[in-house]
Each structure stands twice: as structure tokens, then as C-alpha cells.
Amino acid sequence: MKELTPLDRIEVPRPRPDAAYAARLPGHDASFRGLKRLLGAADASKAGDRLAGLAAPDEAAREAARGLLGELTLEHLHDHPLTDERGEVDAVMRVNYDIDRDAFARIASLRLGELKDHLLRAPGPEVARLGRALTGVMAAALAKLCDVHELVYLARKISRPTRARTVLGAPGTLASRLQPNHPTDDLRGITLLLYWGLSLGAGDALLGVNPAAGTVETTAAILRHLDRIRRATGVPTQICCLSHLKVQLAALDQGAPVEILFQSLAGTEACFSEFDITVGLIDEGYRRMAARGPLAGEAEQFMYFETGQGSELTYGKHDGIDMATAEALCYGLARRWDPFMLNNVTGFIGPETHLDDREMILANLQDHFMGKLLGVPMGMAPCYTLHAHVTLEGQQMATQLLTAAGANYYMDVCLNTDRMLAYFDTSGHDVQTLREIHGREPGGEFLAWALARGILARAGEGERVGEGERVGEGERVGVGDGESEGHGEGKAGAITRGPRFGDVRQFCPDAAELAELLAATPAAYGFATAGPRPTNAVSRRSRADEAVARGALASELREDELTSVAAFRVITTTAASKAEHLGSADAGARLSAEGAARLAPEEAQVQIVVSDGLSAEAVHHNVPDLLPVLLDGLGARGVTVGQPLLARYGRVKLAEAVAERLGARLVVMLLGERPGSGELASRSLSAYLAYRLTPGVDQEAAAAFSGNPAIGFEYTVVSNIHAGGLPAAEAGGVLVEKVLQVLARRAAGNRLEALLAGSAA
């Protein structure tokens, strides 16, 4: 177990007034007030930084900023810590100063450009050693001076292996984090996606599920199910359920196998409050896992973090810090707990942070370099949502570059489609393709298991594969077209596919059971493979459904059709168009002056708001069945409800503005989510229950629980409401019960779940 330095013992220089930085290029003068402005201007232009007013106005200004950065000494960067909106050093920045002081003393006088040159010349161990002497700000500044070749070349030098039950990140390996998410947490669908991923040689890093319902009960059930499958298959790996840290610790208290403890991170303490997390809480989780986690005494590392450029910006909590620098601060924070793995999901948010392929690819290369330099074991998930101008082809370009740069692992999101989170990530097919192109192997323990099962093979040792057996009409399991698979075209002994690659029957030989698992799994386009890739027929079905879903983004609310559902009051946000809505992190979260003027305090306990969000079709396909059940159910229980509101171009935080104007205790925000793949998933609705904390006991209890003294709202979410997930009418009943729980317990989110778990115990 690593010794955690008390925060008050970490030395941080006293904040100084903003310095003025000025440069002159031929025919162009540039000046920047403060290090934050200089860092923002030096980065490649990205949507989030443009939105925040931090990006340089043109290339000349950008190069001027880079020239100035290159001349700054590391001591200068050290002596000018970035501060929060109050001018203070927050906990995230403070942890970043917990560096190797001896190593820093040797390089403090170097200019940043000189450090870059030294690292390019230095051997890998020297690069890794000096990375421990840097803060996140220094790493971000360095990344802004690097071109693509340099980001790849420098990151490739650094090795950051870790060990839990198995080793991750050893040289020459490329691992996979198997993510069998399901829109309703159906264990049958999770099982099929696990079997499918394992049959593709995926899962050596982790078997991990993002639950649709982040309750203690669901988390514990998923963990026990993952543990059963791990034991039954004998696969050497570790398991995780990606609920909130507080929920996982509650599940651990109930005896659930929390082998790896997960939490999302942020680069500012202000954004941490949005995650209901503090450095102290993660410290507590780290110590509890070290003392009594299932892998205590066996694992050298047992923490798992997720990050990605832009979260601080989307929450409006970036403190004037650009996205890449905030991301680097996450890595400087993560190394405090010596994590087993960190997964970067830059691209997950959408066009308000990264508009297109170029922005996503470059940001991922920066993140990978900064994380490895600072000492973090980096897994990469270059991903995209359908409302951004990012494509599968751009994602694939990113993975080729990141594999060359030495990424530890990628995700296995089956056929690139996350069935619960409605985004698009790498797949098990991608991981095996990249292994074969770049000569990489799975982790050693997992490789031995996969070789023994015939999932993988060494070139020259494979067997001839005959035609696969059918599962369902027109569906073949495995490779099956008579060609000799498993031999590969690489050198003898290289890892390639074995005779059972892609064959899920090895884990589920009963045809009736397999058919039941298939029926419970959305977007199961087919098992058939061609080499390490899905067959063309499978790919075409997958891409066609993605195209259908992307088209749903163009839909608009048809207000006249909704009048038959309820007598809506129509309000407007500050987003005047769909383009402005998609490109802004907060325009849809604010009431327009006209919209605010229409609302005055009322006596109702609950207010319902319906908004298109990212899919108007989600509203039209679900609200007609959901809203009557919700209204009738609340009315029958004596809950007073205001006249429903209808808002075009809304975001989740619009609920807070409505609650404040109307004086409602609870706002139920029915919002169209970003479309997932296929017709049904493109109609996914979510319900965000925003509970307004009144001054006094409620607010004080929430502040004590969250560690955020300024907390004003708590949220409970019910997601994946659509015909292929939680049916609309059933969702109405679920929401009635959730509303009653929130009002009765006077709490929402993690605090509500803790209260419910406590009463159940």
C-alpha cells in the first residue's frame, strides 16, 4: 500500500499575480495575461477551448504562445500554481505538487523547450523518472510543444506496468477492458456480451460493467455475476462495477467482490463537487480496499480511474483552465493512489468539447503522452457520439497511432456499440486486429488461458477451421468459411487467432440457453468473423443502424402533437437553434429572459419538464405513454404537480433554473438522450430527478455527505427509457416510486441510495 501524503504537508508556492507574457512575430504582436491564458492559447484549437474563450485567435498567436512557453523554465511553471475562482490553490492542484523533489531540483532550471529536447534524446527509464518530477501543468505545457510524431515517440519510450490479479501494461502487450453494458442491466445480455468478448480474446485488463441503475443492490448483483463467470470460465482477470465510489464501498460492506475500485476524476476541485467526490473520500476508499478488498495482499494496485478532456468545461467548473491542462491535472491527481489502470474517454462528451476527427485524435495523443509521462498506466478509449463530427474511421486512425505510442489497453464494446451509454468505442475485433498489425500480445496469464482454449494461437500452430454451426437464421458462430485460420502471415510464433476465435459456444454450448441470451441482447448483429474482423454482413448491419440513429439528431419537437398528451406550458432556453444547442455546454441549461418571465413561484411539490435534448424522437415515442402514468400515479399518492413544461433545446441543468423560478422541491426532467445505434436506441429518453435542497437540515446533511458545502441540488437518474430498454409505461411507474422515495427521504442521488441501503440493512 502506498503512503498517502497528507494534503497539508504538500508544499505549494504561494499564488502570485498573473504575469504578462508578450512575443513578437514578423508582422504580429501577441500578449497573454497569466499562465492560464498562455497555456490555452498554445494548444491546438478545440471546440471546448474556443467555447471558453481560451483558444488562440489564429495560428500566429498560437505559435507565439508556444514560443513563449518553450522559453519558460520549469521553476517558473512550478512557482506559478494555477488557482481556482477564489484565487486559491485547490486540492487537485495541491496533489499535483506531490512530486519527486530531488529529480525536480536537477531539472528546475531547464527551459521547457530544453526539457523536450532532453526527453527526445533520453532513454525510456530516464523519461519515466523525470515524469515523476513534473506537475500536470508542466506535462500539459510540454504536450503543447509536441507534434504528432513526438507525442507518439515520447510516449512509446515509457513503460508503466501494474499488477492486480494479473499484470497490465508489460512491454509488447496490448490488453482489453471488456465492457458488457446493457440498457436494463439484464444479466442475460451481460452474460452474452461477456462470452462474446472472451471468445475474441478480450477482457485481460478487466471485466467491467457500467450499470444503468447505480444502486447498491444492482452493483452488488452485477459484481457477484461477474465473479461467477470469471470463476466458471477460469479467465485470469479482475472485475469491477463502475458505480459511484460510495455505492461500491457500500457494496463492499455487504460482502460484494469489489476487486477493483472505480471513480471518475476531474481536474478541478470545483468539478469534483459535481461528481460528489473529494480527495479525502478517495483516500478513504483506497485505504479500505488495501485493508479488506478481495485482492488485499495480492494486488499491488487496485484503483481504476476514468478521465477525458472536457468534463470541467461542460460543468462550467474549469476555473479558466484549458481542457488539456485540466486533463493533465487529473493524471497528476491519479498517481496519488497508484492506480491499476486509468481509462481515457476523450470524445465521449460531444461537439461542445471536440468537434471532429482531428480534434479527437490529437487530444487522445496528448492525453496518452501526458498520462504516461506523469506516471499513470494509460488505457485509451478514443470514442465518439453521433452528434459530433467524429466517425468510426477517425476512431480507427486514433487507435493505430495510440498503439504505436504504446497504449496499455483499449475497450471491448461489442461491435463498437455501447448498448447502455449510447456512444461508440473500440471493440474486441479492433483489439485483436491491432495486436496482429503491431505484433502485440495479451497479458501473459490471459494469453496462456486463451491459447489453451484455442481462442488464440501462435502462427504455425493453428488448426484448419471448417464451416461454423448456425445459431439462428443465417447466423454462423466462429470463423467458418473453410479457410485455414490461426496461421497468420506474421513470423512464426506470433500471436494470431485460434480455431475457437469468436466461438461463443465454448462458454454456452446449450443452443436453447444461447438463444435466450441472444434474445436479451440489443444490437447483436452476428458472431461471424473474417480474420480478426467481423464479416462484411455484420459490419453493414452495424453501420446501417448507426446511420439511422445519427439521422435522429436532425429531428425537431412537434409541439402540436404533444398537446394531446398534456396541456404543456412552452418555455425557451438561451439556445436559439439546434446548432447552438449542440455546440454549447450550457446554452440549453439556462432559461431565456422570456422563458424566465413566464415562471413565478407556485405551491406544487413536483414540476415536470419535457425537452428534446439530443433526440426529439425520444420524446415523441415515450412521453405519450410515460407522462399519463406519472401524473396519475403522483396524483393518486397525493403529490402536487405543476402544469408540465415543454422546452426545446434543453439540457439537464435546466431543471435547476426551473426549480428556482417555481420554488418546486423536485423537478422531473424528461430528456431525449443522444441516440444509440439502431431505431430503438435512437429513441432513448432519460429522467433526471433534481431535488432542490432548502437551507437548513436538508442542505447541511447533503453538504456533509458530499463534502461540498455549496451543494444546492441532488440528482437521481432513470435512463434507457425506450422500447428496447425500460418501456415507457413501466418507466412511469418506476418514476412514481422514485419521486416518492426522494420526497419521503428528502434526498436524491448517492445520499438517497445510502439511506435506502441503510434502512434495508
Side-chain angles (χ1 to χ4, degrees):
M1 174 180 171
K2 181 182 177 183
E3 186 71 27
L4 301 178
T5 308
L7 293 187
D8 59 4
R9 284 196 179 163
I10 300 174
E11 297 180 12
V12 183
R14 185 183 301 275
R16 303 183 181 190
D18 284 341
Y21 305 95
R24 172 170 291 181
L25 296 179
H28 191 97
D29 292 338
S31 62
F32 310 92
R33 171 59 66 178
L35 191 54
K36 291 179 184 178
R37 288 286 178 179
L38 182 63
L39 288 164
D43 204 358
S45 183
K46 301 168 192 165
D49 293 333
R50 293 193 296 271
L51 186 65
L54 296 170
D58 52 46
E59 285 297 325
R62 186 168 297 111
E63 283 306 318
R66 288 170 174 167
L68 288 165
L69 265 186
E71 292 300 310
L72 296 181
T73 64
L74 293 174
E75 186 173 26
H76 180 91
L77 294 172
H78 175 277
D79 291 347
H80 290 78
L82 306 186
T83 57
D84 61 19
E85 291 185 343
R86 299 169 297 177
E88 299 175 359
V89 173
D90 72 6
V92 175
M93 186 65 62
R94 182 169 295 279
V95 171
N96 266 262
Y97 276 80
D98 192 7
I99 58 176
D100 183 333
R101 291 285 168 180
D102 291 337
F104 178 74
R106 295 196 298 271
I107 60 175
S109 62
L110 288 180
R111 293 181 176 89
L112 192 66
E114 293 173 332
L115 175 65
K116 174 187 162 185
D117 292 342
H118 175 71
L119 296 180
L120 287 167
R121 298 185 184 109
E126 169 75 356
V127 177
R129 184 165 50 252
L130 291 182
R132 299 285 189 179
L134 304 180
T135 67
V137 172
M138 297 172 195
L142 188 61
K144 296 167 195 288
L145 300 187
C146 293
D147 61 27
V148 167
H149 286 314
E150 290 160 351
L151 292 171
V152 171
Y153 179 73
L154 285 169
R156 188 181 179 89
K157 292 186 177 193
I158 306 168
S159 176
R160 301 290 191 192
T162 55
R163 170 179 275 284
R165 178 177 285 112
T166 60
V167 174
L168 177 64
T173 64
L174 179 62
S176 164
R177 205 222 92 177
L178 208 169
Q179 178 168 289
N181 292 349
H182 191 280
T184 61
D185 296 326
D186 189 320
L187 296 182
R188 296 170 301 171
I190 290 173
T191 299
L192 179 69
L193 295 173
L194 282 168
Y195 289 166
W196 199 344
L198 291 174
S199 76
L200 296 171
D204 46 332
L206 187 80
L207 309 181
V209 174
N210 299 77
T215 65
V216 176
E217 179 183 14
T218 298
T219 298
I222 288 174
L223 284 167
R224 292 188 175 101
H225 187 67
L226 294 177
D227 188 56
R228 283 193 295 270
I229 289 179
R230 183 188 66 79
R231 293 175 184 276
T233 60
V235 57
T237 188
Q238 32 281 315
I239 64 171
C240 180
C241 185
L242 284 72
S243 301
H244 192 277
L245 185 144
K246 292 179 179 177
V247 173
Q248 294 169 82
L249 291 178
L252 179 66
D253 289 341
Q254 294 183 4
V258 183
E259 294 185 346
I260 302 294
L261 187 64
F262 165 82
Q263 182 54 49
S264 294
L265 296 183
T268 67
E269 190 175 7
C271 194
F272 251 33
S273 67
E274 296 290 338
F275 296 175
D276 188 20
I277 210 79
T278 63
V279 171
L281 178 61
I282 302 178
D283 283 353
E284 177 190 344
Y286 178 80
R287 294 187 179 106
R288 287 171 65 179
M289 287 291 291
R292 55 189 183 86
L295 298 183
E298 177 182 358
E300 296 174 16
Q301 291 89 14
F302 41 78
M303 302 293 284
Y304 169 23
F305 300 117
E306 277 195 353
T307 68
Q309 286 191 25
S311 62
E312 300 82 7
L313 176 108
T314 57
Y315 283 107
K317 304 289 186 181
H318 58 89
D319 289 336
I321 300 172
D322 68 274
M323 294 193 300
T325 303
E327 181 69 7
L329 290 170
C330 291
Y331 306 143
L333 175 67
R335 66 185 175 188
R336 174 176 177 83
W337 301 287
D338 189 21
F340 172 63
M341 56 196 293
L342 185 144
N343 190 43
N344 172 278
V345 293
T346 291
F348 180 82
I349 295 173
E352 64 265 41
T353 61
H354 299 85
L355 181 63
D356 54 26
D357 285 328
R358 176 183 174 278
E359 293 184 14
M360 181 274 291
I361 293 169
L362 184 56
N364 271 270
L365 291 171
Q366 289 178 329
D367 295 349
H368 179 253
F369 161 68
M370 295 187 300
K372 288 187 77 174
L373 179 65
L374 288 168
V376 178
M378 293 296 291
M380 300 303 297
C383 53
Y384 62 97
T385 62
L386 296 183
H387 63 303
H389 302 297
V390 181
T391 64
L392 178 66
E393 290 75 19
Q395 179 195 70
Q396 292 175 342
M397 294 175 197
T399 60
Q400 292 289 348
L401 289 165
L402 289 164
T403 306
N408 279 8
Y409 69 91
Y410 296 109
M411 306 294 285
D412 171 22
V413 172
C414 184
L415 296 176
N416 303 102
T417 303
D418 191 291
R419 291 142 183 83
M420 192 279 286
L421 292 172
Y423 82 112
F424 297 82
D425 210 321
T426 54
S427 70
H429 296 92
D430 294 338
V431 176
Q432 184 58 26
T433 301
L434 291 164
R435 285 171 179 160
E436 295 189 30
I437 291 173
H438 293 270
R440 304 293 173 82
E441 300 182 352
E445 303 97 332
F446 185 95
L447 176 58
W449 175 84
L451 289 171
R453 277 192 166 269
I455 294 169
L456 299 177
R458 293 196 179 276
E461 300 176 5
E463 300 178 5
R464 186 174 182 84
V465 178
E467 184 163 331
E469 297 182 16
R470 297 181 181 275
V471 175
E473 184 176 354
E475 186 60 70
R476 292 187 304 172
V477 177
V479 180
D481 45 15
E483 65 174 300
S484 180
E485 291 285 350
H487 292 272
E489 297 182 6
K491 61 183 180 181
I495 294 301
T496 182
R497 286 144 283 113
R500 306 209 75 173
F501 180 81
D503 182 3
V504 297
R505 295 168 307 169
Q506 62 189 291
F507 303 112
C508 187
D510 184 274
E513 180 185 355
L514 182 55
E516 181 183 356
L517 300 184
L518 269 168
T521 310
Y525 301 110
F527 301 115
T529 59
R533 307 298 299 160
T535 61
N536 184 64
V538 173
S539 293
R540 296 282 65 79
R541 288 183 63 192
S542 175
R543 297 301 296 275
D545 271 2
E546 182 179 327
V548 168
R550 201 181 283 266
L553 288 162
S555 62
E556 296 278 4
L557 275 181
R558 301 182 293 278
E559 295 175 9
D560 57 329
E561 293 183 17
L562 294 170
T563 57
S564 62
V565 180
F568 285 103
R569 289 181 287 177
V570 177
I571 57 174
T572 53
T573 70
T574 57
S577 67
K578 183 176 285 289
E580 185 177 347
H581 172 53
L582 294 179
S584 171
D586 62 355
R590 301 193 305 269
L591 286 166
S592 67
E594 179 187 6
R598 292 185 179 184
L599 302 179
E602 298 175 354
E603 299 299 322
Q605 296 169 281
V606 174
Q607 180 61 55
I608 297 170
V609 182
V610 175
S611 182
D612 50 359
L614 297 176
S615 174
E617 291 306 308
V619 171
H620 288 289
H621 281 85
N622 294 288
V623 168
D625 291 331
L626 185 156
L627 189 55
V629 175
L630 177 57
L631 289 172
D632 291 346
L634 293 178
R637 304 294 184 90
V639 177
T640 57
V641 182
Q643 182 182 355
L645 301 175
L646 182 66
R648 192 186 298 273
Y649 310 140
R651 297 259 182 171
V652 174
K653 292 287 187 176
L654 182 63
E656 297 185 11
V658 168
E660 297 289 358
R661 293 292 299 181
L662 292 178
R665 295 307 311 267
L666 177 66
V667 171
V668 179
M669 186 84 179
L670 301 175
L671 191 72
E673 291 288 11
R674 59 192 185 191
S677 184
E679 185 177 16
L680 294 179
S682 69
R683 301 168 178 173
S684 182
L685 191 80
S686 284
Y688 294 86
L689 280 62
Y691 180 64
R692 183 170 63 92
L693 297 162
T694 55
V697 175
D698 284 0
Q699 199 280 333
E700 291 169 5
F705 184 85
S706 66
N708 175 16
I711 188 170
F713 285 83
E714 293 177 315
Y715 281 87
T716 287
V717 183
V718 177
S719 61
N720 287 284
I721 301 170
H722 59 86
L726 178 63
E730 183 179 340
V734 170
L735 288 174
V736 170
E737 295 306 314
K738 278 294 177 186
V739 167
L740 294 173
Q741 288 176 347
V742 170
L743 294 177
R745 301 283 181 168
R746 298 168 67 172
N750 290 324
R751 190 162 65 95
L752 173 64
E753 294 305 320
L755 292 171
L756 294 173
S759 62

